[in-house]
Amino acid sequence: MPYLRDHVFILKSEPFREHDRRIVCYGKQHGLLEGVARGASARTAKQGGHLVPMMEADLMIARGTHFDKIAVARVVAHHRELRARLGALAVVGAFFDLFIALQRPGIVDPDCYALLEEVLKSVESLPAEPSRERSRLLFAGASLKLLDRIGFAPQLARCALCHDELNDGEFRQLARDGSVVHVDCYRDIRAMEPNAGYVVPQALMIARFLRREPIAASLLLSGTSQSFIDASELIFGFIRQTPLFREPHGMRTIGELMR
Ligand SMILES: [Zn+2]
């Protein structure tokens, strides 16, 4: 039986058959992986039954005809403190769901692996429970970095209609593809696109900051709750237009954060 070894982040664990669990993870060497873990008792712990999201583990996976099985699992880091905090759990959980939905098996990307690492580290460094607005901003910032890494980099610098820079004034975000345009340019196509979202310059500035700076920097960013909400909404507008490779099970969690 062919085996595969990898150092992974556990992204999801869900019931599979009566006593087993299906584990979804992202490996340094192999990208997105799935494997069935036997039971959850101490006896079967070495076969991955104890693996839960956010753990970092060394896995040996046995390739099977119908599904792959986790043959050996050794936990490298538990990240227990993270799982004990509800705010952190919501941000990381929603991010993992989006991450899974945007990944294709067989594509290995060291930048995506590093991003998972960065998200966990940044959320771990939170001094206290972040406000709801800051949690959403954190999720939005991490998601924007993910979109950049998988090639859906949204345009934050130039108008999608006239291609001039988006500097001052007010902007609109088009519902058809999430692109941002000058309010004057929007007037010309308003009849065809009646439902564009409002974008204030500060939202655009915050989104650019989130793209440029490490995720942890969004924890130091000062601003009003409304500016955080506006920036998050702008980024969610991009996420909504991104083609998902699979139905995200946790879209509800993401929806919670997007609301
Ligand atoms: Zn324009």
Side-chain angles (χ1 to χ4, degrees), residues 4-15:
L4 168 164
R5 279 169 198 278
D6 212 340
H7 184 94
V8 307
F9 283 108
I10 309 296
L11 303 176
K12 190 161 111 181
S13 162
E14 59 185 10

Side-chain angles (χ1 to χ4, degrees), residues 43-63:
R43 195 167 52 82
T44 54
K46 69 174 180 12
Q47 289 165 313
H50 61 318
L51 295 174
V52 291
M54 299 182 207
M55 271 181 182
E56 238 176 295
D58 281 326
L59 297 188
M60 194 160 99
I61 296 177
R63 292 290 203 191

Side-chain angles (χ1 to χ4, degrees), residues 41 47 80 82 109 128 155 162 170-171 182-183 202 236 255:
S41 67
Q47 289 165 313
R80 274 198 194 92
L82 211 51
D109 188 338
Q155 177 59 265
C162 74
E170 228 178 80
F171 314 109
H182 295 110
V183 68
Q202 204 188 0
F236 294 160

Side-chain angles (χ1 to χ4, degrees), residues 159 161-163 182 185:
C159 168
L161 293 172
C162 74
H163 306 292
H182 295 110
C185 297

